[in-house]
Amino acid sequence: MKVEPLGPHHDREGFSCGIDSLDRYLRRQAGQDIRRRSAGVFVLAAHANPGVILGYYTLSQANIAQGDIPASARKHVPRYPLVGATLIGQLAVSEARQGERLGAVLIADAVERAWLTAATAGSSMLIVDAINDRAAAFYEGNGFVRLADSQRLILPMHIIQGLVER
């Protein structure tokens, strides 16, 4: 399997994860976001069938308020009112392939890409706004920390550094 930028050879219409808003995003909005450079869209595909999308995620730049960052992570970020972050805006796995840990493959790729661009784009953490409690539990199981009273989760770059430098 490989994760690569969404391209014209990928079958967006054939993808279904079971959540209409995520399916609709890939089919109707992803191409526009790429052209406008508002998000990078990355797809997981098998080498044997590279046009079939097994899953996808998006990355974009974001800001998070200093006060929203847990105290344990504040010592690792600048003391600005808004702290630069990288946002996983969408993440979905094909309904037919759920339960195969493909989401973890997508997260691992997102973590690596976020780390590689953090110094250039000014990012202190990877953030995600989980679509529901099940998704939040998935992110927590992959090392993210949930912010209080929120569906937002974070993974600070100092933690990511330890993961990618292993």
Side-chain angles (χ1 to χ4, degrees):
M1 285 190 235
K2 63 182 174 179
V3 179
E4 62 187 3
L6 178 66
H9 67 283
H10 293 116
D11 178 16
R12 292 187 283 167
E13 292 297 324
F15 180 83
S16 177
C17 70
I19 298 175
D20 187 55
S21 62
L22 294 172
D23 294 342
R24 190 173 48 252
Y25 172 83
L26 183 63
R27 291 181 186 128
R28 307 288 177 249
Q29 188 65 40
Q32 291 178 38
D33 283 356
I34 292 167
R35 283 190 300 281
R36 294 177 180 158
R37 297 193 185 275
S38 62
V41 182
F42 303 92
V43 299
L44 176 65
H47 289 289
N49 202 350
V52 174
I53 299 172
L54 304 177
Y56 80 93
Y57 73 90
T58 66
L59 287 180
S60 60
Q61 293 307 111
N63 290 306
I64 184 169
Q66 179 73 237
D68 291 343
I69 300 169
S72 62
R74 277 193 207 134
K75 67 180 179 178
H76 300 282
V77 299
R79 303 248 185 261
Y80 302 130
L82 293 175
V83 176
T86 303
L87 173 70
I88 297 175
Q90 315 278 336
L91 188 144
V93 172
S94 169
E95 203 166 20
R97 301 297 297 268
Q98 291 178 9
E100 296 179 27
R101 304 266 318 140
L102 299 183
V105 171
L106 292 169
I107 291 279
D109 191 79
V111 164
E112 185 172 348
R113 287 180 198 272
W115 172 252
L116 291 172
T117 61
T120 304
S123 177
S124 295
M125 65 191 64
L126 187 56
I127 60 176
V128 64
D129 294 311
I131 197 165
N132 55 37
D133 286 332
R134 182 176 173 220
F138 164 77
Y139 288 110
E140 286 175 313
N142 282 281
F144 285 72
V145 176
R146 191 188 299 220
L147 301 183
D149 302 320
S150 171
Q151 291 288 72
R152 176 163 278 184
L153 298 95
I154 67 165
L155 187 59
M157 283 298 163
H158 75 278
I159 301 290
I160 291 173
Q161 180 178 8
L163 296 172
V164 297
E165 291 182 351
R166 285 186 197 173

